């Protein structure tokens, strides 16, 4: 690091705030934290007198172990530790205040010292930082450490009483407020909320910090870092949250850095810090332990090992701030600094979930435009559920929890809790119930909606909820001052908020009033309070219709029509409402009310309603409601029929209760078994499903195998469920009911399928001892992390199992580490990923990346309701260099895996999928009318950064120019790729007969392809025997370096003093779908000059065109156009084969970076070799004028008989030229379209006219040239 530069920069620091300084540095480089204070104190072997000092020698309690006290009694020890870390290269030192709160110090009867400890510790650290700066070590900062305390808000200290807590939110806020103020008064530059194993404790600290900044203007911009702790490899905090949920729960405080520390070493922390990195637009901080503690409580991980592990984090773009926790020492920090100081920092994404409402329970919930309607469970409401109210009032909270659990199991994505009842102590009841929920992971996994008209009850709920919940509700009813006060508190607690369309004059009923009040509220919330627009949810009042009062008839219509207008006036806001109000006039008439709710939601959702408090389990499927009833409901909704109320009442009288209704309900039982199964699945009825499934199974004429019942009527029924769900005519709770019915049907069939398989094994003579040999292959299958839906996965597992594949089912919510560990342990042939919800797609991308990083080669299968072939092709397949296949449904899974295991069909299948996905990607990208192009400087900043010092390009065995004019044609012919040959003749087979040689089996073109091929073989043999074509070629390998980021200098020799040429590069600029993906240029694959690492570049030009013109002239003289075309086609194939042969020889001999390579010609055609040979005028460098540099350097005209035409085409036409790149990270890519800033830079660097460059690069311009 250039400390002189930092000293210079510090001269101008007066113009920047501390926060601005840190941000500027974080954008330039990785910053470094110190290591463990406790570890270093332990090394000093201090005793009780050291801790007591003179001041506390008569203190009534032992104080050994109270490390924070040493800032007062042994400041020399703490000062020396700070100095050692600063000398090691740390940018930040943490204050010795991990336990300096009244709560933690009370264990030593020293609570009264808490503020003093913080002030003095911060002063001590500040003195050390100033001394380091004066010594020329660069700018240094003090991080005020705020530990988690020894109490937890989310976990009971008593197993017998899960609602009990040993500290309150208010007590923690008071303790943290005093600590934060003390640290700031002592000179802390940053406040660090660290080692938070309970997110609610962290939220209390953040609440306190925000209060202190609000009350003390001089500290309003102090940066805040937040670091949580994943307690074990389960990937959760001690209080149960995932890293993604932790990010959502703490981001309201706008921390400058978010990350993890403690509990784990770097190796085990990686997946979790990666999850944080993917989940936040903040800078990341990571300071792991020195591995896991040994049996004696010590740490064995060496500085070198810790640094190497963190080096991989940095190379993969995960780090902004890094340091060490337990077990790390100044030696560890120095090793980390030395390894990482030259690597670029992580570039935070502009937004992780743009236009999304983010909520969390134990798990994160993303609500965006891809999310279907969000069901807010309504039954934990004492005002809306008689059963729940009775349980709460009779103190049966355990039973009340079962109501909450049932709602979550039935598909509630948010859980509404309301304790507003005259005989209840609302705050106490809310506190107790929320604390109990925290002890039930199956409930606590979803976000809560704290619902009350009493703000004290709302605050009670917020103080017990570690996740980011929803407050329901506030309004302008009591005026703007009251509204602002409550909104600011809600923001400080870190919640989203429902705003009712009320103001001082009452509730809004007209469209205009709804829009006006919502817009007024929005402006206050966003512009004055500073709330994220995505955290604003409007309830424009679903009011009761059909009351007999004429103006009420428009209430439903007004709500629905107000939705798009509110959203247009309030960007980012969402719409919710209590649906049951709509039909209140028809209470007691459940069939009518449920139909009204379904019809209302169907139309409201289409207009933009995002969520609602509704008992979705009681909603009928929209398409199943009798047409007559739908028409009446819609006439009421749209106020079309003045007699609509009376008609609906009359309908209710004639269609409720009695044997007639039951008989009509059972008429579906008289249909075919296929229709009965379909009906059961669509309506979630499991009463007869086993009976019907057995009837289908025993019909062996239609269903010879039990598996056929799954693949037939059961899959058909689930397909209809999927279609209705996608069309908005079914909701998630209904789909979950359908899934349960499906599970029950499949469970009935499994014993029969197992018996069938055992019988088959017995008949085949397969014995149990040879378990692996019993199966066709092994598939590890899982529903990815963040998703709990498994019906589709389970069906695939059954289908594969019935086809003799060993299926290792890892269940739901499976992190990538567990998936990959299982794949290794079971030696899987395939990994299958499933998911139903949209966030699953991002997790699948992550798994693909991890498979690539960890060197997997097995095929990756993608399936589930939310997946698609397009998403797989565009987003997932590019992240993994081995087969990635979207499996449409369970019936396709067997075909896919068998094709991938068939050694004869495998390569063709993979190639077919690869080409199909490339077409899909190209079509998708071309369809993006609003394609964004990043500025050239930004693209350069996000270039591929290879660590050439760690992985240098191998030194060539040969340097200079070498000419080839005597390579036998018969050797060259062995490298021919025949696939393009058939494309010349427009002969294209269909899979599995698409490629050579299987094209000969194709029903359509096979016969003709075989005839053309045979004739080609005859002519090829004539050419070889008569030496009718003369192959000529030239290669070179020269020393080279990247200069000016995008260009490559070529040197005469290893002295690298004489530049003999320069290749100019073009860089990708079209914004990547994956924001972490680098913007590539060929120069990225060559070591920069300033690195000092030697590198090289090769060139080649080959031709098999000499003699071709004479052959063709003779054929054409005889009017034999067919043989003339054949000769040109073969010359072209031989030229490409010559290029393949020379590249092979270069890799193995002349450059020698793959001396052990043993690839077949077919494998070479599939690009399985190391290094690349891109050609000017092709995707990686679309500029044909770069050929001119090659012709100056290796003189292909003289050495290979190849000339360039005015249009820079090669003559003879059967010629190929290009560059060689030998670094193992080199890859083929497409530059794509580029912007005018790059064209201008390119023209300036090449020293040519802008218009000339635009002419040559016309096809890739992203703009219209003048």
């Amino acid at each position: 690091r250039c400390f002189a530069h930092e000293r210079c920069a510090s001269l101008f620091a007066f113009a920047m705030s501390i926060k601005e300084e840190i941000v500027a540095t974080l954008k330039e480089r990785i910053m470094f934290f110190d290591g463990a204070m406790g570890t270093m104190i332990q090394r000093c072997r201090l005793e009780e007198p050291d801790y007591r000092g003179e001041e506390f020698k008569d203190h009534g309690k032992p104080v050994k172990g109270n490390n924070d006290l040493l800032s007062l009694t042994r400041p020399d020890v703490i000062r020396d530790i700070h100095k050692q870390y600063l000398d090691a290269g740390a940018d930040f030192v943490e204050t010795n205040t991990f336990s300096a709160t009244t709560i933690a110090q009370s264990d030593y009867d020293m609570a009264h010292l808490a503020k003093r400890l913080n002030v003095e510790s911060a002063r001590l650290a500040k003195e050390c930082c100033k001394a380091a700066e004066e010594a020329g070590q660069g700018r240094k900062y003090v991080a005020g450490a705020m530990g988690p305390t020894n109490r937890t808000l989310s976990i009971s200290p008593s197993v017998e009483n899960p609602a009990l807590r040993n500290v309150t939110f208010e007590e923690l806020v008071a303790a943290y407020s005093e600590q934060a103020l003390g640290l700031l008064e002592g000179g802390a530059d940053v406040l660090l909320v660290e080692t938070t194993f309970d997110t609610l404790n962290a939220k209390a600290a953040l609440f306190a910090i925000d209060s202190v900044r609000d009350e003390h203007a001089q500290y309003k911009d102090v940066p805040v870092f937040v670091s949580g702790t994943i307690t074990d490899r389960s990937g959760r905090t001690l209080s149960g949250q995932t890293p993604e949920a932790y990010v959502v729960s703490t981001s309201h405080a706008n921390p400058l850095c978010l990350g993890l520390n403690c509990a784990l070493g770097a190796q085990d922390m990686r997946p979790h810090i990666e999850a944080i990195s993917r989940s936040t637009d903040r800078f990341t901080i990571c300071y792991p332990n020195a591995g896991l503690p040994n049996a004696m409580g010590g740490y064995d991980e060496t500085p070198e090992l810790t640094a190497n592990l963190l080096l991989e984090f940095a190379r993969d773009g995960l780090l902004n701030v890094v340091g060490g926790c337990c077990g790390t020492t100044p030696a560890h920090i120095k090793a980390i600094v030395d390894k990482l100081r030259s690597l670029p920092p992580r570039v935070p994404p502009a937004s992780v979930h743009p236009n999304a409402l983010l909520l969390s329970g134990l798990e994160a919930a993303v609500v965006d435009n891809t999310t279907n309607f969000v069901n807010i469970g309504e039954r934990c409401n004492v005002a809306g559920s008689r059963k729940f109210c009775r349980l709460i009032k009779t103190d049966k909270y355990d039973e009340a929890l079962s109501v909450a659990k049932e709602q979550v199991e039935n598909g509630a994505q948010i859980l509404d809790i309301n304790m507003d009842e005259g005989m209840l102590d609302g705050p106490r009841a809310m506190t107790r119930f929320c604390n109990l929920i925290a002890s039930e992971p199956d409930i606590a996994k979803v976000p809560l909606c704290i619902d009350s008209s009493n703000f004290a009850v709302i605050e009670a709920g917020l103080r017990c909820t570690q996740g980011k919940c929803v407050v329901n509700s506030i309004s302008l009813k009591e005026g703007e001052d009251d509204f602002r006060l409550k909104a600011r508190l809600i923001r400080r607690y870190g919640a989203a908020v429902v705003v009712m369309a009320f103001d001082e004059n009452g509730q809004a009923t007209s469209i205009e009033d709804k829009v006006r009040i919502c817009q007024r509220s929005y402006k206050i919330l966003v512009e004055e309070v500073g709330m994220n627009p995505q955290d604003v949810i409007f309830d424009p009042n679903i009011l009761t219709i059909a009351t007999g009062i004429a103006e009420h008839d428009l209430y439903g219509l007004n709500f629905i029509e107000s939705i798009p207008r509110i959203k247009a006036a309030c960007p980012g806001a969402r719409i919710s409402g209590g649906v049951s109000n709509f039909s209140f006039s028809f209470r007691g008439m459940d069939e009518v009310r449920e139909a009204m709710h379904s019809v209302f939601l169907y139309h409201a959702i289409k207009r933009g309603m995002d969520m609602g408090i509704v008992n979705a389990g009681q909603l009928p499927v929209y398409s199943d409601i009798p047409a007559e009833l739908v028409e009446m409901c819609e006439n009421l909704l749209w106020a079309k029929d003045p007699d609509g109320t009376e008609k609906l009442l009359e309908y209710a009288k004639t269609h409720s209760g009695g044997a007639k209704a039951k008989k009509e309900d059972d008429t579906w039982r008289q249909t075919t078994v296929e229709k009965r199964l379909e009906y059961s699945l669509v309506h979630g009825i499991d009463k007869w499903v086993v009976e019907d499934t057995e009837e289908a199974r025993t019909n062996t004429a239609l269903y010879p195998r039990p598996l056929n019942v799954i693949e037939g009527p059961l899959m058909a029924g689930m397909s209809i469920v999927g279609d209705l769900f996608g069309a908005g005519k079914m909701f998630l709770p209904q789909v979950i009911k359908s899934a349960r019915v499906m599970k029950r049907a499949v469970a009935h069939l499994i014993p029969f399928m197992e018996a069938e398989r055992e019988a088959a094994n017995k008949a085949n003579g397969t014995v149990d001892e040879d378990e692996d040999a019993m199966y066709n292959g092994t598939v590890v299958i899982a529903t990815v992390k963040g998703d709990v839906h498994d019906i589709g996965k389970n069906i695939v597992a059954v289908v594969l199992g019935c086809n003799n594949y060993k299926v290792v089912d890892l269940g739901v919510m499976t992190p990538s580490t567990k998936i990959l560990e299982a794949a290794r342990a079971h030696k899987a042939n395939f990994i299958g990923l499933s998911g139903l919800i949209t966030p699953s797609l991002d997790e699948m991308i992550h798994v693909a990346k991890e498979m690539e990083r960890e060197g997997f080669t097995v095929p990756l299968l993608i399936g589930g309701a939310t997946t698609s072939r397009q998403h797989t092709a565009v987003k997932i397949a590019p992240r993994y260099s081995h087969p990635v296949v979207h499996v449409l449904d369970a019936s396709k899974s067997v075909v896919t895996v068998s094709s991938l295991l068939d050694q004869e069909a495998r390569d063709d299948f993979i190639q077919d999928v690869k080409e199909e996905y490339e077409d899909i990607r190209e079509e998708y990208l071309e369809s993006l009318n609003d394609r964004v192009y990043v500025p050239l400087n930004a693209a350069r900043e996000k270039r591929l950064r290879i660590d050439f010092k760690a992985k240098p390009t191998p030194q060539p065995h040969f340097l200079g120019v070498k000419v080839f004019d005597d390579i036998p044609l018969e050797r060259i012919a062995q490298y021919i790729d025949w696939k393009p040959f058939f494309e010349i003749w427009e002969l294209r087979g269909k899979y599995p007969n698409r490629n050579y040689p299987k094209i000969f089996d194709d029903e359509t073109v096979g016969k003709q392809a075989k005839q053309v091929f045979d004739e080609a073989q005859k002519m090829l043999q004539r050419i070889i025997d008569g030496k009718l074509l003369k192959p000529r070629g030239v290669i070179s390998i020269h020393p080279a370096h990247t200069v000016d980021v995008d260009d490559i200098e070529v040197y005469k020799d290893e002295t690298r003093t004489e530049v003999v040429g320069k290749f100019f590069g073009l860089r990708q600029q079209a914004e990547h779908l994956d924001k972490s993906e680098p913007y590539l240029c060929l120069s990225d694959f060559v070591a920069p000059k300033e690195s000092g690492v030697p590198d090289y570049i090769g060139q080649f030009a080959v031709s098999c065109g000499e003699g071709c013109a004479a052959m063709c002239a003779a054929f054409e003289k005889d009017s034999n156009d067919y043989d003339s075309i054949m000769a040109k086609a073969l010359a072209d194939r031989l030229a490409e084969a010559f290029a393949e042969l020379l590249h092979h020889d270069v890799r193995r001999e002349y450059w020698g970076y793959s001396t052990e390579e043993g690839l077949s010609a077919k494998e070479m055609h599939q690009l399985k070799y190391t290094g690349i040979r891109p050609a000017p005028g092709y995707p990686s460098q679309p500029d044909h004028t770069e050929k001119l540099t090659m012709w100056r350097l290796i003189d292909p005209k003289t050495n290979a008989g190849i000339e360039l035409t005015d249009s820079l085409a090669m003559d003879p036409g059967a010629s190929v030229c290009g560059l060689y790149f030998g670094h193992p990270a080199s890859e083929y890519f497409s530059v794509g379209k580029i912007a005018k800033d790059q064209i201008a830079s390119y023209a300036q660097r090449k020293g040519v006219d802008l218009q000339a460059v635009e002419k040559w690069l016309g096809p890739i311009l992203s703009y219209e040239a003048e």
Side-chain angles (χ1 to χ4, degrees), residues 262-270 288-292 301 309 313:
C262 204
L264 302 174
Q267 186 166 359
D268 291 326
M269 190 179 284
R270 180 187 170 105
N289 292 348
L292 296 174
E301 197 168 275
L309 290 168
F313 288 31

Side-chain angles (χ1 to χ4, degrees), residues 1120-1184:
N1120 187 354
D1121 292 339
Y1122 177 82
D1123 280 351
S1124 177
I1125 294 171
M1126 180 70 77
K1128 291 175 183 177
L1130 288 172
D1132 177 69
R1133 289 296 83 220
L1134 286 166
E1136 292 286 357
F1138 193 6
E1140 195 75 77
L1141 181 154
L1142 282 186
H1143 194 195
H1144 169 265
D1145 290 352
V1146 164
R1147 294 191 301 272
R1148 285 178 56 94
E1149 180 180 351
Y1150 299 113
W1151 198 324
Y1153 60 77
S1154 289
T1155 55
E1156 302 301 318
E1157 180 186 299
L1159 298 177
S1160 66
K1162 184 176 181 180
E1163 289 171 322
M1164 293 181 208
H1165 301 152
Q1166 293 169 345
L1167 310 181
K1168 292 185 178 180
Y1169 49 74
T1170 301
I1172 57 174
R1173 60 167 193 274
Y1178 285 83
S1180 297
Q1181 172 39 289
D1183 184 8
H1184 283 279

Side-chain angles (χ1 to χ4, degrees), residues 612-623:
I613 300 176
V614 59
N615 188 356
Q618 298 301 316
L619 288 177
V621 177
Y622 177 85
S623 58

Side-chain angles (χ1 to χ4, degrees), residues 414-468:
I414 300 173
L415 195 61
D416 184 79
I417 303 172
N418 183 295
M419 297 291 179
D420 288 358
E421 206 279 338
M423 300 305 294
L424 279 177
D425 181 341
R428 179 181 171 277
M430 181 66 78
T431 298
R432 183 176 178 187
F433 194 64
C434 287
N435 281 344
L436 286 169
I437 283 176
S439 68
E440 294 286 342
D442 289 340
I443 305 172
K445 65 184 180 182
V446 302
L448 301 183
C449 178
I450 308 299
D451 184 355
S452 181
S453 57
N454 181 344
F455 199 73
V457 177
I458 287 174
E459 284 202 88
L462 292 173
R463 290 167 179 163
C464 302
T465 310
Q466 67 171 321
K468 180 181 176 182

Side-chain angles (χ1 to χ4, degrees), residues 611-643:
M611 56 186 66
I613 300 176
V614 59
N615 188 356
Q618 298 301 316
L619 288 177
V621 177
Y622 177 85
S623 58
D624 280 348
I625 304 171
E628 178 187 7
L629 182 54
V630 170
E631 182 180 6
M632 286 189 283
C633 291
E634 291 187 338
N635 285 340
L636 274 181
L637 174 60
W638 304 123
K640 288 182 178 180
D641 186 353
D643 299 322

Side-chain angles (χ1 to χ4, degrees), residues 387-388 390-392 394-406 433 436:
K387 176 184 177 181
F388 184 76
R390 173 176 53 79
L391 293 172
I392 294 296
T394 56
D395 207 37
K396 296 179 179 178
Y397 278 79
D398 289 343
E399 291 183 47
L401 278 178
S402 68
V403 176
K405 187 173 183 179
E406 183 180 13
F433 194 64
L436 286 169

